Amino acid sequence: MTKAYTIVIKLGSSSLVDESTKEPKLSIMTLIVETVTNLKRMGHKVIIVSSGGIAVGLDALNIPHKPKQLSEVQAIAAVGQGRLIARWNMLFSQYGEETAQILLTRNDILRWNQYNNARNTINELLAMGVIPIVNENDTLSISEIEFGDNDTLSAITAALVGADFLFLLTDVDCLYTDNPRTNPEARPIVLVPELSEGLPGVNTSSGSGSEIGTGGMRTKLIAADLASNAGIETIVMKSDRPEYVPEIVDYIQHHFRPPRHGGNGTQQQFLELQDAELEELRRHNVPMHTKFLANDNKHKLKNREFWILHGLITKGAIIIDENSYDRLLSKDKASLTPNAVIEVRENFHELECVDLKIGKRLPNGDLDISKPVQSVGRVRSNYTSLELAKIKGLPSERIHDVLGYSVSEYVAHRENIAFPPQF
Ligand SMILES: Nc1ncnc2c1ncn2[C@@H]1O[C@H](COP(=O)(O)OP(=O)(O)O)[C@@H](O)[C@H]1O
Ligand SMILES: N[C@@H](CCC(=O)OP(=O)(O)O)C(=O)O
């Protein structure tokens, strides 16, 4: 029996538009429409994250290369996004399927109720049988509020709706030890049990493979890391055979066995794992892809933690001492009080999201600048950076004396503190 899954499928610009002519790749889009329709008929819920707004706009306006100026790119995106969604709509309508456009920036999920609202809307669309098609709102997005690339946006979308799978469809069939376009010796990496341990011997620094893509394999690894933190399995595969998606889902559900040793193992074990998994794929006649396994339930972020760590824009930093950090991590999960704070960096308003760092406190209470400072998580601070600079190092009872008022006894309440999964 096949379980009903929620599946996010992300398509890069290079899969939807020809890199040099910028003409649409209608054959791939049609295959995707067929696949999504089939997945829906099997009972799965599918969300598409579609890039291509800018590339389609370049084609519409006969502009050969993406301009440097932001306002020009935003205008091009406004033209292209409309055409792109019309194209999806036209193709899906051949199968009687309805689509909905969702354009997001980080500004749209700044508040917890906005984040939940986005989830409710997408879930409502899925319940109505509509296929949500998500993209960044490139026309209104500026660097401070942009997701920056659709790999990251797709992972955030997948976490938002609590998806089971994130498929990143691109122009290579899987992750390799190096860019396969430039290095013919590159070896396929088909299984990554634990991305947070790093990928020794894997080089993804060469960026996008095309003029119209953003980020290359590097942003796909970031997306896979975010998704696995949210308990979602990520698959990288080639976009020209989307009908492989259900085959891969079936393989993972019925045949795939995770490696017995937890994590990636040594570099040698990691490479052996690749050979073993390649053999399994051949044995079961499963198409090439890379699987990034999801964190187990114990190491999975809760919705709100994910939102604080990966949804919000951060400003400034709060540096605390190691003992206070240990207390925040402890089982009884303390809140952050002003006496834990050694130093405040840059400016932030109340309830903005701030980087939480640990450093060493000198006997006089100041930060020991000869020792490293390390980022450990994020908090939404009840106090502004100016207020916090005045009350740092003090017990909560002194807040009122120093400021003349007290918003809270805590710098950040427990529900506004988030740490990455601790292994
Ligand atoms: N280690 C690697 N393995 C596979 N592809 C890589 C690697 N390093 C860089 N790349 C490049 O990443 C490209 C895919 O990313 P990108 O061009 O951004 O695609 P998309 O538009 O689908 O997001 C590939 O075409 C390839 O050239
Ligand atoms: N939002 C942009 C795409 C950004 C992006 O990440 O592109 P890609 O690397 O092709 O997935 C657009 O619609 O053109």
Side-chain angles (χ1 to χ4, degrees):
M1 244 255 321
T2 303
K3 246 180 91 183
Y5 291 117
T6 301
I7 302 172
V8 174
I9 300 181
K10 184 262 170 177
L11 290 139
S13 311
S14 56
S15 303
L16 301 173
V17 172
D18 184 277
E19 188 191 350
S20 47
T21 65
K22 310 283 184 303
E23 281 174 334
K25 290 188 173 175
L26 285 178
S27 52
I28 291 191
M29 287 183 83
T30 307
L31 287 173
I32 284 158
V33 166
E34 280 178 13
T35 302
V36 171
T37 305
N38 284 338
L39 285 166
K40 270 193 71 192
R41 288 176 188 167
M42 289 174 199
H44 303 299
K45 292 174 175 166
V46 187
I47 297 159
I48 294 178
V49 176
S50 171
S51 301
I54 297 167
V56 172
L58 289 171
D59 181 38
L61 297 167
N62 255 319
I63 301 173
H65 303 287
K66 187 171 155 183
K68 293 261 174 306
Q69 199 179 316
L70 179 67
S71 57
E72 266 185 84
V73 177
Q74 296 193 303
I76 291 166
V79 174
Q81 180 62 30
R83 285 199 172 207
L84 177 68
I85 210 77
R87 219 169 262 170
W88 280 122
N89 215 0
M90 183 271 289
L91 292 171
F92 272 112
S93 68
Q94 307 304 312
Y95 293 82
E97 295 292 346
E98 201 55 66
T99 61
Q101 169 181 260
I102 300 185
L103 299 178
L104 289 173
T105 67
R106 283 194 195 266
N107 249 0
D108 303 312
I109 53 167
L110 272 189
R111 286 193 294 271
W112 179 232
N113 62 354
Q114 282 179 301
Y115 187 72
N116 283 321
N117 199 39
R119 171 189 309 116
N120 291 343
T121 306
I122 296 178
N123 281 340
E124 201 61 57
L125 288 167
L126 292 171
M128 289 172 175
V130 177
I131 300 154
I133 303 183
V134 182
N135 195 359
E136 173 132 35
N137 194 348
D138 295 306
T139 299
L140 297 179
S141 194
I142 47 168
S143 59
E144 290 80 5
I145 57 163
E146 69 178 7
F147 294 101
D149 68 88
N150 275 5
D151 295 320
T152 304
L153 174 63
S154 66
I156 290 175
T157 305
L160 179 74
V161 298
D164 301 285
F165 293 102
L166 168 63
F167 277 83
L168 300 173
L169 269 54
T170 184
D171 55 1
V172 282
D173 53 7
C174 67
L175 169 70
Y176 284 81
T177 49
D178 197 4
N179 190 342
R181 288 172 181 259
T182 50
N183 182 355
E185 306 287 302
R187 289 177 59 179
I189 301 292
V190 287
L191 176 59
V192 179
E194 190 48 74
L195 190 51
S196 64
E197 290 177 7
L199 293 175
V202 175
N203 174 19
T204 56
S205 62
S206 62
S208 172
S210 65
E211 198 206 325
I212 52 176
T214 309
M217 218 20 93
R218 192 183 49 80
T219 48
K220 290 180 197 0
L221 295 190
I222 293 172
D225 190 37
L226 297 193
S228 67
N229 277 347
I232 300 160
E233 229 93 69
T234 303
I235 288 92
V236 171
M237 61 172 265
K238 206 160 180 192
S239 58
D240 61 356
R241 302 295 300 273
E243 66 272 26
Y244 289 162
V245 171
E247 290 182 33
I248 294 170
V249 169
D250 182 77
Y251 167 69
I252 294 174
Q253 196 196 351
H254 297 293
H255 305 290
F256 172 69
R257 296 279 166 269
R260 254 185 248 123
H261 59 79
N264 297 345
T266 62
Q267 187 162 356
Q268 183 59 29
Q269 282 173 321
F270 185 61
L271 289 176
E272 282 165 11
L273 187 64
Q274 305 312 315
D275 292 339
E277 182 59 13
L278 268 170
E279 190 45 46
E280 280 299 284
L281 295 182
R282 267 186 225 114
R283 197 161 74 85
H284 292 282
N285 206 11
V286 181
M288 256 322 239
H289 63 275
T290 304
K291 260 186 303 301
F292 297 87
L293 300 188
N295 287 2
D296 57 20
N297 273 343
K298 193 167 153 241
H299 299 103
K300 184 178 144 177
L301 291 172
K302 297 199 177 65
N303 263 335
R304 193 174 166 100
E305 291 169 336
F306 185 93
W307 170 67
I308 293 173
L309 285 174
H310 304 301
L312 294 179
I313 304 154
T314 49
K315 294 234 183 100
I318 295 173
I319 303 173
I320 62 169
D321 58 82
E322 199 143 350
N323 288 343
S324 306
Y325 172 56
D326 289 343
R327 268 199 299 281
L328 293 177
L329 280 183
S330 68
K331 267 215 190 86
D332 45 342
K333 298 205 165 167
S335 295
L336 180 63
T337 45
N339 57 356
V341 180
I342 313 176
E343 196 171 290
V344 182
R345 291 199 175 151
E346 295 171 49
N347 295 327
F348 47 85
H349 294 293
E350 69 270 21
L351 289 184
E352 281 191 316
C353 187
V354 182
D355 250 332
L356 189 67
K357 300 186 175 192
I358 49 171
K360 185 154 173 31
R361 196 194 291 272
L362 289 168
N364 71 358
D366 289 348
L367 179 71
D368 183 348
I369 51 168
S370 70
K371 295 283 184 306
V373 166
Q374 186 199 344
S375 260
V376 289
R378 288 179 172 192
V379 300
R380 291 173 80 223
S381 169
N382 288 326
Y383 290 95
T384 67
S385 49
L386 286 178
E387 290 168 329
L388 204 47
K390 291 181 189 156
I391 59 172
K392 69 179 164 83
L394 299 178
S396 299
E397 304 81 63
R398 296 280 320 280
I399 297 177
H400 197 278
D401 299 343
V402 175
L403 297 181
Y405 53 86
S406 168
V407 178
S408 163
E409 63 184 294
Y410 302 123
V411 172
H413 195 267
R414 187 66 232 174
E415 63 170 16
N416 282 328
I417 303 174
F419 299 110
Q422 311 286 316
F423 289 92

Coordinates of all heavy atoms in Angstrom, one line a residue, residues 279-345:
E279 N 24.5 0.1 -6.2 CA 24.2 -1.3 -6.5 C 22.7 -1.6 -6.2 O 22.0 -2.2 -7.0 CB 25.1 -2.2 -5.6 CG 25.1 -3.7 -6.0 CD 25.2 -4.0 -7.5 OE1 26.0 -3.4 -8.1 OE2 24.4 -4.8 -7.9
E280 N 22.2 -1.0 -5.1 CA 20.8 -1.2 -4.7 C 19.9 -0.5 -5.8 O 18.9 -1.1 -6.2 CB 20.5 -0.5 -3.4 CG 20.9 -1.4 -2.2 CD 20.2 -2.7 -2.1 OE1 19.0 -2.7 -1.8 OE2 20.8 -3.7 -2.5
L281 N 20.3 0.7 -6.2 CA 19.5 1.4 -7.2 C 19.4 0.5 -8.5 O 18.4 0.4 -9.1 CB 20.1 2.8 -7.5 CG 20.1 3.8 -6.4 CD1 20.7 5.1 -6.8 CD2 18.7 4.0 -5.8
R282 N 20.6 -0.1 -8.9 CA 20.6 -0.9 -10.1 C 19.7 -2.1 -9.9 O 18.9 -2.5 -10.8 CB 22.0 -1.4 -10.4 CG 22.7 -0.4 -11.3 CD 24.1 -0.9 -11.8 NE 25.0 0.2 -11.7 CZ 26.0 0.3 -10.8 NH1 26.3 -0.7 -10.0 NH2 26.8 1.4 -10.8
R283 N 19.9 -2.8 -8.7 CA 19.1 -4.0 -8.4 C 17.6 -3.7 -8.5 O 16.8 -4.6 -9.0 CB 19.5 -4.5 -7.0 CG 19.1 -5.9 -6.8 CD 19.9 -6.4 -5.6 NE 19.5 -5.9 -4.3 CZ 18.5 -6.4 -3.6 NH1 17.8 -7.5 -4.1 NH2 18.1 -5.9 -2.5
H284 N 17.2 -2.6 -8.0 CA 15.7 -2.3 -8.0 C 15.3 -1.5 -9.2 O 14.2 -1.0 -9.3 CB 15.3 -1.6 -6.8 CG 15.4 -2.4 -5.5 ND1 14.5 -3.3 -5.2 CD2 16.4 -2.4 -4.6 CE1 14.9 -3.9 -4.0 NE2 16.0 -3.4 -3.7
N285 N 16.3 -1.3 -10.1 CA 16.0 -0.5 -11.4 C 15.4 0.9 -11.1 O 14.4 1.3 -11.6 CB 15.0 -1.3 -12.2 CG 15.1 -1.0 -13.7 OD1 16.1 -0.3 -14.1 ND2 14.1 -1.4 -14.4
V286 N 16.1 1.6 -10.1 CA 15.6 2.9 -9.7 C 16.6 3.9 -10.3 O 17.8 3.8 -10.4 CB 15.7 3.0 -8.2 CG1 15.2 4.4 -7.7 CG2 14.9 2.0 -7.5
P287 N 16.0 5.0 -10.9 CA 16.8 6.0 -11.6 C 17.7 6.7 -10.6 O 17.5 6.8 -9.4 CB 15.7 7.0 -12.1 CG 14.4 6.4 -11.8 CD 14.5 5.3 -10.9
M288 N 18.8 7.3 -11.2 CA 19.8 8.0 -10.4 C 19.2 9.2 -9.7 O 18.4 9.9 -10.2 CB 20.8 8.6 -11.4 CG 22.1 8.0 -11.6 SD 22.9 7.3 -10.3 CE 24.4 8.3 -10.4
H289 N 19.7 9.4 -8.5 CA 19.3 10.6 -7.7 C 20.2 10.6 -6.5 O 20.9 9.6 -6.2 CB 17.8 10.5 -7.3 CG 17.5 9.3 -6.4 ND1 17.2 8.0 -6.8 CD2 17.5 9.2 -5.0 CE1 17.0 7.2 -5.8 NE2 17.2 7.9 -4.7
T290 N 20.1 11.7 -5.7 CA 20.8 11.8 -4.4 C 19.7 11.9 -3.4 O 18.8 12.7 -3.5 CB 21.8 13.0 -4.3 OG1 22.7 12.9 -5.4 CG2 22.5 13.0 -3.0
K291 N 19.9 11.0 -2.3 CA 18.9 11.1 -1.2 C 19.6 11.7 0.0 O 20.7 11.2 0.4 CB 18.6 9.6 -0.8 CG 17.3 9.1 -1.3 CD 16.9 7.8 -0.7 CE 18.0 6.7 -0.9 NZ 18.3 6.4 -2.3
F292 N 19.0 12.7 0.6 CA 19.5 13.3 1.8 C 18.5 12.8 2.9 O 17.4 13.2 2.9 CB 19.6 14.8 1.8 CG 20.6 15.3 0.7 CD1 20.1 15.5 -0.6 CD2 21.9 15.6 1.0 CE1 21.0 16.0 -1.5 CE2 22.7 16.1 0.1 CZ 22.3 16.3 -1.2
L293 N 19.0 12.0 3.8 CA 18.0 11.5 4.8 C 17.6 12.5 5.8 O 18.4 13.4 6.2 CB 18.6 10.3 5.5 CG 19.0 9.1 4.6 CD1 19.4 7.9 5.5 CD2 17.9 8.7 3.7
A294 N 16.4 12.4 6.3 CA 15.8 13.4 7.2 C 16.3 13.0 8.6 O 16.6 11.9 9.0 CB 14.3 13.3 7.2
N295 N 16.4 14.0 9.5 CA 16.7 13.8 10.9 C 15.6 13.0 11.5 O 14.4 13.2 11.2 CB 16.8 15.2 11.7 CG 18.0 15.9 11.3 OD1 18.9 15.5 10.5 ND2 18.2 17.1 12.0
D296 N 16.0 12.1 12.5 CA 14.9 11.4 13.2 C 14.2 12.3 14.1 O 14.5 13.5 14.3 CB 15.5 10.2 14.0 CG 16.6 10.7 15.0 OD1 16.5 11.9 15.3 OD2 17.4 9.9 15.4
N297 N 13.1 11.8 14.7 CA 12.2 12.7 15.5 C 12.9 13.4 16.6 O 12.6 14.5 16.9 CB 11.0 11.8 16.0 CG 9.9 11.8 15.0 OD1 9.9 12.6 14.1 ND2 9.0 10.8 15.2
K298 N 13.9 12.7 17.2 CA 14.6 13.3 18.3 C 15.4 14.5 17.9 O 15.6 15.4 18.7 CB 15.6 12.2 18.9 CG 16.1 12.5 20.2 CD 16.8 11.3 20.8 CE 17.9 11.8 21.8 NZ 19.2 11.4 21.4
H299 N 15.9 14.5 16.6 CA 16.7 15.6 16.2 C 16.0 16.5 15.1 O 16.6 17.1 14.3 CB 18.0 15.1 15.5 CG 18.8 14.3 16.5 ND1 18.9 13.0 16.5 CD2 19.6 14.8 17.5 CE1 19.7 12.6 17.5 NE2 20.1 13.7 18.1
K300 N 14.7 16.5 15.3 CA 13.8 17.3 14.3 C 13.4 18.6 15.0 O 13.0 18.6 16.2 CB 12.6 16.4 14.0 CG 11.7 17.0 13.0 CD 10.6 15.9 12.7 CE 9.3 16.7 12.5 NZ 8.2 15.8 12.2
L301 N 13.5 19.7 14.3 CA 13.1 21.0 14.8 C 11.5 21.1 14.9 O 10.9 20.6 13.9 CB 13.6 22.1 14.0 CG 15.1 22.4 14.0 CD1 15.5 23.4 13.0 CD2 15.6 22.8 15.4
K302 N 11.0 21.7 16.0 CA 9.6 21.9 16.0 C 9.3 23.1 15.0 O 10.2 23.9 14.7 CB 9.2 22.3 17.4 CG 9.4 21.2 18.4 CD 8.5 21.4 19.6 CE 8.7 20.2 20.5 NZ 10.1 20.1 21.1
N303 N 8.1 23.2 14.6 CA 7.7 24.3 13.7 C 8.2 25.7 14.1 O 8.8 26.4 13.3 CB 6.2 24.4 13.7 CG 5.6 23.7 12.5 OD1 6.3 23.5 11.5 ND2 4.4 23.2 12.6
R304 N 8.0 26.0 15.3 CA 8.3 27.4 15.8 C 9.9 27.6 15.8 O 10.4 28.6 15.4 CB 7.7 27.7 17.1 CG 7.8 29.1 17.5 CD 7.1 29.4 18.8 NE 7.4 30.8 19.2 CZ 6.7 31.9 19.0 NH1 5.5 31.8 18.5 NH2 7.1 33.0 19.4
E305 N 10.6 26.5 16.2 CA 12.1 26.6 16.2 C 12.6 26.8 14.8 O 13.5 27.6 14.5 CB 12.7 25.3 16.8 CG 12.4 25.2 18.3 CD 12.8 23.8 18.8 OE1 12.8 22.8 18.0 OE2 13.1 23.6 20.0
F306 N 12.0 26.0 13.9 CA 12.4 26.1 12.4 C 12.1 27.6 11.9 O 13.0 28.1 11.3 CB 11.6 25.1 11.6 CG 12.1 25.1 10.2 CD1 13.0 24.2 9.7 CD2 11.6 26.0 9.2 CE1 13.5 24.2 8.4 CE2 12.0 26.0 7.9 CZ 13.0 25.1 7.5
W307 N 11.0 28.1 12.3 CA 10.6 29.5 11.8 C 11.7 30.5 12.4 O 12.2 31.3 11.6 CB 9.2 29.8 12.4 CG 8.8 31.2 12.2 CD1 8.6 31.9 11.0 CD2 8.5 32.1 13.3 NE1 8.2 33.1 11.3 CE2 8.1 33.3 12.7 CE3 8.6 32.1 14.7 CZ2 7.8 34.5 13.4 CZ3 8.2 33.2 15.4 CH2 7.9 34.4 14.8
I308 N 12.0 30.4 13.7 CA 13.0 31.3 14.2 C 14.4 31.1 13.6 O 15.0 32.1 13.2 CB 13.1 31.1 15.8 CG1 11.8 31.5 16.4 CG2 14.2 31.9 16.4 CD1 11.7 31.3 17.9
L309 N 14.8 29.9 13.4 CA 16.1 29.6 12.9 C 16.3 29.9 11.4 O 17.3 30.3 10.9 CB 16.6 28.2 13.2 CG 16.9 27.9 14.6 CD1 17.2 26.4 14.7 CD2 18.2 28.6 15.0
H310 N 15.2 29.6 10.6 CA 15.4 29.6 9.2 C 14.4 30.5 8.4 O 14.6 30.8 7.3 CB 15.3 28.2 8.6 CG 16.2 27.3 9.2 ND1 17.6 27.5 9.2 CD2 16.1 26.1 9.9 CE1 18.2 26.5 9.8 NE2 17.3 25.7 10.3
G311 N 13.3 31.0 9.1 CA 12.3 31.8 8.4 C 12.6 33.3 8.6 O 12.4 34.1 7.7
L312 N 13.2 33.6 9.8 CA 13.3 35.1 10.1 C 14.6 35.7 9.7 O 15.6 35.0 9.5 CB 13.2 35.2 11.6 CG 11.8 34.8 12.2 CD1 11.8 35.0 13.7 CD2 10.7 35.7 11.6
I313 N 14.6 37.0 9.5 CA 15.8 37.8 9.2 C 16.4 38.1 10.5 O 15.7 38.5 11.5 CB 15.3 39.1 8.5 CG1 14.5 38.9 7.3 CG2 16.5 40.0 8.2 CD1 13.5 40.0 7.0
T314 N 17.7 38.0 10.6 CA 18.4 38.3 11.9 C 19.0 39.7 11.8 O 19.5 40.1 10.8 CB 19.5 37.3 12.3 OG1 20.3 37.1 11.2 CG2 19.0 36.1 12.8
K315 N 19.1 40.3 13.0 CA 19.8 41.6 13.1 C 20.6 41.5 14.4 O 20.1 41.1 15.5 CB 18.7 42.7 13.3 CG 17.9 43.0 12.1 CD 18.0 44.5 11.7 CE 17.0 44.8 10.6 NZ 15.8 45.4 11.1
G316 N 21.9 41.9 14.4 CA 22.7 42.0 15.5 C 23.0 40.7 16.2 O 22.6 39.6 15.7
A317 N 23.6 40.8 17.4 CA 23.9 39.6 18.2 C 23.9 39.9 19.7 O 24.1 41.0 20.1 CB 25.3 39.1 17.8
I318 N 23.5 38.8 20.4 CA 23.6 38.9 21.9 C 24.6 37.8 22.3 O 24.5 36.6 21.9 CB 22.2 38.5 22.5 CG1 21.2 39.6 22.2 CG2 22.4 38.4 24.0 CD1 19.8 39.3 22.6
I319 N 25.6 38.2 23.1 CA 26.7 37.2 23.5 C 26.4 36.9 24.9 O 26.3 37.8 25.8 CB 28.1 37.8 23.3 CG1 28.3 38.2 21.8 CG2 29.1 36.8 23.7 CD1 29.5 39.0 21.5
I320 N 26.3 35.6 25.2 CA 26.1 35.1 26.6 C 27.3 34.2 27.0 O 28.1 33.8 26.1 CB 24.7 34.4 26.7 CG1 24.7 33.1 25.8 CG2 23.6 35.3 26.4 CD1 23.5 32.2 26.1
D321 N 27.3 33.9 28.3 CA 28.4 33.0 28.7 C 28.0 31.5 28.6 O 26.8 31.2 28.5 CB 28.8 33.3 30.2 CG 27.6 33.2 31.1 OD1 27.3 32.0 31.5 OD2 26.9 34.2 31.3
E322 N 29.0 30.6 28.7 CA 28.7 29.2 28.4 C 27.8 28.6 29.4 O 27.0 27.7 29.0 CB 30.1 28.5 28.4 CG 29.9 27.2 27.6 CD 31.2 26.9 26.8 OE1 32.1 27.7 26.7 OE2 31.3 25.7 26.4
N323 N 27.9 29.0 30.7 CA 27.0 28.4 31.7 C 25.6 28.7 31.4 O 24.7 27.8 31.6 CB 27.4 28.9 33.1 CG 28.7 28.3 33.6 OD1 29.2 27.3 33.0 ND2 29.3 28.9 34.6
S324 N 25.3 29.9 31.0 CA 23.9 30.3 30.7 C 23.4 29.5 29.5 O 22.3 29.1 29.4 CB 23.8 31.8 30.4 OG 24.4 32.5 31.4
Y325 N 24.3 29.3 28.5 CA 24.0 28.5 27.3 C 23.6 27.1 27.8 O 22.6 26.6 27.3 CB 25.2 28.5 26.4 CG 25.0 27.6 25.2 CD1 23.9 27.7 24.3 CD2 26.0 26.6 24.9 CE1 23.8 26.8 23.2 CE2 25.9 25.8 23.8 CZ 24.8 25.9 23.0 OH 24.6 25.0 21.9
D326 N 24.4 26.5 28.7 CA 24.1 25.2 29.1 C 22.7 25.1 29.8 O 22.0 24.2 29.6 CB 25.2 24.7 30.1 CG 26.5 24.4 29.4 OD1 26.5 24.3 28.2 OD2 27.5 24.3 30.1
R327 N 22.4 26.2 30.6 CA 21.1 26.2 31.2 C 20.0 26.3 30.2 O 18.9 25.6 30.3 CB 21.0 27.4 32.2 CG 21.5 27.1 33.6 CD 21.0 28.1 34.6 NE 21.5 29.4 34.3 CZ 22.7 29.8 34.6 NH1 23.6 29.0 35.2 NH2 23.1 31.0 34.3
L328 N 20.2 27.0 29.1 CA 19.2 27.2 28.1 C 18.9 25.8 27.4 O 17.8 25.5 26.9 CB 19.6 28.2 27.0 CG 19.6 29.7 27.5 CD1 20.1 30.6 26.4 CD2 18.2 30.1 28.0
L329 N 20.0 25.0 27.3 CA 19.9 23.7 26.6 C 19.4 22.6 27.5 O 19.0 21.6 27.1 CB 21.3 23.3 26.1 CG 21.9 23.9 24.9 CD1 23.2 23.2 24.6 CD2 20.9 23.7 23.7
S330 N 19.4 22.9 28.9 CA 19.1 21.8 29.8 C 17.7 21.4 29.7 O 16.8 22.1 29.0 CB 19.4 22.3 31.2 OG 18.4 23.3 31.5
K331 N 17.4 20.3 30.3 CA 16.0 19.7 30.2 C 14.9 20.6 30.6 O 13.9 20.7 30.0 CB 16.0 18.4 31.1 CG 16.4 17.2 30.3 CD 15.5 16.0 30.9 CE 16.0 14.7 30.3 NZ 17.1 14.2 31.2
D332 N 15.1 21.4 31.7 CA 14.0 22.2 32.2 C 13.9 23.5 31.3 O 13.0 24.3 31.5 CB 14.1 22.6 33.7 CG 15.6 23.0 34.0 OD1 16.5 22.6 33.3 OD2 15.7 23.6 35.1
K333 N 14.8 23.7 30.4 CA 14.7 24.7 29.3 C 14.4 26.1 29.9 O 13.3 26.6 29.8 CB 13.7 24.3 28.3 CG 14.1 23.1 27.6 CD 13.5 23.0 26.2 CE 14.2 21.9 25.4 NZ 13.5 21.6 24.2
A334 N 15.4 26.7 30.5 CA 15.2 28.1 31.1 C 15.0 29.1 30.0 O 15.3 28.8 28.8 CB 16.5 28.4 31.9
S335 N 14.5 30.3 30.4 CA 14.4 31.4 29.5 C 15.7 32.2 29.7 O 16.5 32.0 30.6 CB 13.2 32.3 29.8 OG 12.0 31.5 29.6
L336 N 15.9 33.2 28.8 CA 17.2 34.0 28.8 C 17.0 35.2 29.7 O 16.1 36.1 29.4 CB 17.6 34.4 27.4 CG 18.8 35.2 27.2 CD1 20.1 34.4 27.7 CD2 19.0 35.6 25.7
T337 N 17.8 35.4 30.7 CA 17.7 36.5 31.6 C 18.8 37.5 31.4 O 19.9 37.1 30.8 CB 17.7 36.0 33.1 OG1 18.7 35.1 33.2 CG2 16.3 35.4 33.5
P338 N 18.7 38.8 31.8 CA 19.8 39.8 31.5 C 21.1 39.4 32.1 O 22.2 39.8 31.5 CB 19.2 41.1 32.0 CG 17.9 40.8 32.6 CD 17.5 39.4 32.4
N339 N 21.1 38.7 33.2 CA 22.4 38.4 33.8 C 23.3 37.5 33.0 O 24.5 37.4 33.2 CB 22.3 37.9 35.3 CG 21.4 36.7 35.3 OD1 20.9 36.2 34.3 ND2 21.3 36.1 36.5
A340 N 22.7 36.8 32.0 CA 23.4 35.9 31.1 C 24.2 36.7 30.1 O 25.2 36.2 29.5 CB 22.5 34.9 30.4
V341 N 23.8 37.9 29.8 CA 24.3 38.7 28.6 C 25.6 39.4 29.0 O 25.7 40.1 30.0 CB 23.2 39.7 28.2 CG1 23.7 40.5 27.0 CG2 21.9 39.0 27.8
I342 N 26.6 39.1 28.1 CA 27.9 39.8 28.3 C 28.0 41.0 27.4 O 28.5 42.1 27.8 CB 29.1 38.8 27.9 CG1 28.9 37.5 28.6 CG2 30.4 39.5 28.4 CD1 30.0 36.5 28.2
E343 N 27.5 40.9 26.2 CA 27.7 42.0 25.2 C 26.6 42.0 24.2 O 26.0 40.9 23.9 CB 29.0 41.9 24.5 CG 29.5 43.2 23.9 CD 30.9 43.1 23.4 OE1 31.8 43.1 24.2 OE2 31.1 43.1 22.1
V344 N 26.2 43.2 23.7 CA 25.2 43.3 22.7 C 25.8 43.9 21.4 O 26.6 44.9 21.6 CB 24.1 44.2 23.2 CG1 23.0 44.3 22.2 CG2 23.5 43.7 24.5
R345 N 25.6 43.4 20.3 CA 26.2 43.9 19.1 C 25.2 44.4 18.1 O 24.2 43.7 17.8 CB 27.1 42.8 18.4 CG 28.3 42.5 19.3 CD 29.4 41.9 18.5 NE 30.6 41.7 19.4 CZ 31.5 40.8 19.3 NH1 31.4 39.9 18.3 NH2 32.5 40.7 20.1

